[in-house]
């Protein structure tokens, strides 16, 4: 892992990693840039191995995204854990769908996320975590600050709400079923076909409209609020490019698919 990361000189834009390890992976503790392309991480194992970012920081520029595709998981006694990272996005200063973090999980199970911070990393109309037919997911100690897209006046927001309300209330954590189009179509290139069917863009493998819903989702000890600081592109360029929209994301919800997911929400600040 360290050799691969070194070869990209700390700019991980354009890199695709497929991780199917029986043992945990620890990233070298550094500040990484994600610009001029996407970083795509495919998590495909089922051993319960952890991904520890080791308190690293990721600066996501206006031309990059940090994308994770997950079909992995652990056991009831050994959850797969992804932890210890900060992500500075540029979502409020670039076009919709850019400068963001996004994780799509398809039929994954027994997964734990903890000690993750997101600053201006959720683009309007997109989710930080998009869950399709997953089981037993725990989100603990997340810090989610900021949500939006550049250049929206109050009038623009009113018009957008009337034409596409989901763009304004898209949740940081979306709890969904696995059906055609559940992940949308953005960013599903050949490099991610390990999870997605390339003949039908946006359709997960084995997905269907009758697939079971996501269930047993826990969100606890987390914070959701606005962000007013320097964006990822500003961190990359060492300039004070500030977040342009001071919105707070909708924390968690489900508005498509079938059935009602079991969600536990406790000890959070909204």
């Amino acid at each position: 892992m360290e050799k691969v990361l070194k070869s990209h000189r700390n700019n991980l834009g354009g890199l695709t990693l497929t991780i199917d390890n029986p043992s945990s992976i620890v990233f070298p503790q550094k500040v990484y840039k994600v610009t001029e392309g996407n970083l795509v991480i495919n998590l495909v194992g089922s051993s319960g191995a952890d991904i520890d970012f080791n308190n690293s920081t990721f600066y996501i520029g206006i031309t990059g995204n940090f994308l994770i595709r997950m079909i992995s998981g652990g056991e009831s006694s050994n959850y797969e854990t992804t932890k210890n990272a900060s992500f500075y996005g540029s979502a409020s200063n670039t076009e919709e769908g850019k400068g963001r973090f996004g994780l799509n999980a398809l039929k994954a199970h027994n997964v734990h996320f903890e000690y993750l911070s997101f600053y201006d990393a959720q683009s309007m109309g997109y989710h930080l975590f998009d869950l399709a037919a997953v089981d037993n997911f725990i989100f603990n100690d997340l810090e989610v600050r900021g949500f939006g897209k550049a250049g929206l006046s109050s009038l623009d927001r009113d018009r957008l709400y009337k034409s596409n309300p989901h763009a304004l209330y898209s949740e940081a954590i979306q709890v969904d079923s696995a059906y055609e189009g559940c992940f949308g179509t953005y960013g599903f290139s050949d490099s991610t076909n390990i999870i997605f069917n390339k003949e039908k863009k946006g359709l997960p493998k084995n997905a269907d409209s009758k697939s079971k819903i996501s269930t047993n989702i826990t969100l606890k000890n987390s914070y959701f609020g606005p962000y007013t600081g320097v964006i990822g592109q500003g961190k990359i360029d060492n300039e004070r490019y500030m977040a342009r929209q001071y919105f707070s994301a909708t924390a968690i919800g489900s508005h498509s698919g079938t059935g009602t997911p079991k969600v536990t929400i406790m000890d959070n600040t909204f």
Side-chain angles (χ1 to χ4, degrees):
M1 173 67 74
E2 189 167 1
K3 186 180 294 186
V4 172
L5 297 177
K6 277 185 176 180
S7 70
H8 283 253
R9 299 183 179 180
N10 294 336
N11 177 17
L12 306 183
L15 175 63
T16 297
L17 298 172
T18 297
I19 299 175
D20 184 8
N21 273 33
S23 57
S24 298
I25 289 178
V26 180
F27 273 60
Q29 184 180 14
K30 291 183 180 179
V31 173
Y32 297 96
K33 303 172 186 177
V34 182
T35 187
E36 299 176 6
N38 298 336
L39 168 61
V40 179
I41 300 178
N42 295 312
L43 300 178
V44 300
S46 58
S47 64
D50 296 342
I51 306 297
D52 185 354
F53 289 114
N54 195 22
N55 296 315
S56 292
T57 300
F58 296 87
Y59 296 154
I60 307 169
I62 60 174
T63 57
N65 289 305
F66 190 119
L67 304 176
I68 298 178
R69 309 299 184 218
M70 172 182 285
I71 55 174
S72 55
E75 303 296 332
S76 59
S77 60
N78 182 29
Y79 273 46
E80 175 182 301
T81 300
T82 299
K83 59 186 177 181
N84 299 328
S86 296
F87 302 92
Y88 286 83
S90 302
S92 69
N93 282 252
T94 187
E95 63 184 280
E96 189 172 306
K98 291 287 188 178
R100 69 184 183 95
F101 174 97
L103 181 147
N104 297 112
L106 172 63
K107 297 183 178 180
H109 50 88
N110 300 324
V111 177
H112 188 188
F113 300 95
E114 63 179 355
Y115 310 125
L116 301 174
S117 298
F118 303 92
Y119 307 103
D120 198 33
Q122 184 184 354
S123 178
M124 184 172 291
Y126 292 79
H127 310 284
L128 293 177
F129 299 91
D130 203 344
L131 314 180
V134 306
D135 288 304
N136 302 323
F137 268 48
I138 298 173
F139 297 90
N140 179 44
D141 214 329
L142 305 187
E143 182 182 7
V144 180
R145 294 181 180 268
F147 165 73
K149 174 188 172 186
L152 284 181
S153 66
S154 296
L155 182 59
D156 290 332
R157 289 197 298 272
D158 290 343
R159 288 172 176 168
L160 182 59
Y161 181 78
K162 290 177 182 178
S163 64
N164 181 17
H166 175 263
L168 288 177
Y169 66 69
S170 52
E171 304 89 348
I173 303 171
Q174 157 78 341
V175 184
D176 217 338
S177 303
Y179 63 93
E180 184 173 353
C182 63
F183 292 143
T185 57
Y186 177 78
F188 301 142
S189 63
D190 286 344
S191 65
T192 56
N193 281 338
I194 195 165
I195 297 177
F196 297 97
N197 181 329
K198 69 179 179 180
E199 279 75 36
K200 246 183 168 179
K201 200 173 185 182
L203 174 63
K205 289 180 180 178
N206 303 320
D208 62 76
S209 60
K210 297 180 181 179
S211 177
K212 69 182 181 64
I213 62 173
S214 296
T215 189
N216 295 325
I217 313 299
T218 299
L219 172 63
K220 61 182 181 178
N221 305 319
S222 296
Y223 175 88
F224 295 82
Y227 181 60
T228 59
V230 177
I231 64 170
Q233 190 67 53
K235 301 282 189 179
I236 292 170
D237 295 341
N238 198 27
E239 298 282 353
R240 290 189 62 78
Y241 305 147
M242 310 298 286
R244 295 173 68 178
Q245 302 288 350
Y246 306 141
F247 302 154
S248 174
T250 302
I252 188 169
S254 178
H255 54 80
S256 52
T258 58
T260 303
K262 179 181 178 183
V263 178
T264 301
I265 299 173
M266 51 194 281
D267 299 325
N268 301 287
T269 300
F270 303 108

